[in-house]
Amino acid sequence: HLLRSSAIGTEVIDETEHQIQGGVSDLLIDPDRGIVIALFIARPFAHGPLVLQTQDILSWGQRVHIRSPEVLGELQEIVRLEPFLEETRTLVSQRIHTKSGVTIGTCCDVQFNTKTFAIEWIFPRKFFWRGAALPASDILEVTEEAIIVKDQGPR
């Protein structure tokens, strides 16, 4: 279980040459299924980030372990990710509202499982106040305007 904010900067190492291939710069999340589908990998002196699909990750501990550098690709090369790159619905930095319209805050982070890559928790923030984490199971819908969650009772 890992926060997105903690995942950023994690080194990616390959198992064949045992070389650091770069560091995680962001996550690509499928808003409909609530899973991380790819990682953006920053490399020193590279023009843009590479992409690592989560099915190519062998394990995630102190580092992200991959089979070989060949599993890293240019954004344009991975056709299957194109619809997600064009997606305007996001989780991080998106407003969070209840079904009845109450504003909870803005999603400042997400927690995901490093084995299944499922989003488990979202973390709202309202101004400088960090609200209580919400389980991903409370998410009803992700729209371009907001993450809609179940109405929240007293906590």
Side-chain angles (χ1 to χ4, degrees):
H1 311 282
L2 191 63
L3 291 171
R4 172 191 169 268
S5 58
S6 298
I8 293 174
T10 303
E11 294 177 328
V12 177
I13 188 167
D14 71 86
E15 296 292 313
T16 54
E17 300 171 16
H18 302 287
Q19 296 289 318
I20 301 294
Q21 297 298 319
V24 176
S25 61
D26 209 347
L27 310 176
L28 184 59
I29 300 171
D30 177 343
D32 291 321
R33 296 184 298 154
I35 60 169
V36 177
I37 56 170
L39 308 177
F40 292 104
I41 308 300
R43 296 176 91 168
F45 312 110
H47 294 293
L50 295 176
V51 176
L52 171 61
Q53 295 183 82
T54 52
Q55 71 253 24
D56 293 321
I57 296 173
L58 299 177
S59 65
W60 193 318
Q62 295 296 321
R63 294 178 170 155
V64 176
H65 296 264
I66 59 175
R67 186 178 61 257
S68 71
E70 285 78 40
V71 299
L72 299 172
E74 298 284 331
L75 284 172
Q76 301 80 6
E77 293 175 4
I78 305 174
V79 177
R80 156 182 131 65
L81 296 180
E82 230 173 87
F84 301 104
L85 295 171
E86 296 167 0
E87 181 64 65
T88 55
R89 297 173 301 146
T90 62
L91 290 180
V92 177
S93 300
Q94 182 70 280
R95 285 176 288 168
I96 304 171
H97 296 284
T98 64
K99 185 177 180 182
S100 60
V102 176
T103 300
I104 294 177
T106 300
C107 181
C108 65
D109 212 345
V110 297
Q111 179 180 300
F112 64 98
N113 182 309
T114 55
K115 292 186 184 351
T116 64
F117 297 98
I119 301 296
E120 298 175 322
W121 296 89
I122 60 173
F123 294 86
R125 174 169 292 197
K126 195 168 189 178
F127 302 108
F128 299 108
W129 169 80
R130 193 168 187 156
L134 299 171
S137 59
D138 278 5
I139 298 173
L140 300 173
E141 182 182 12
V142 179
T143 69
E144 289 183 19
E145 292 78 34
I147 300 169
I148 311 301
V149 297
K150 294 176 184 174
D151 289 325
Q152 304 295 302
R155 291 186 176 228

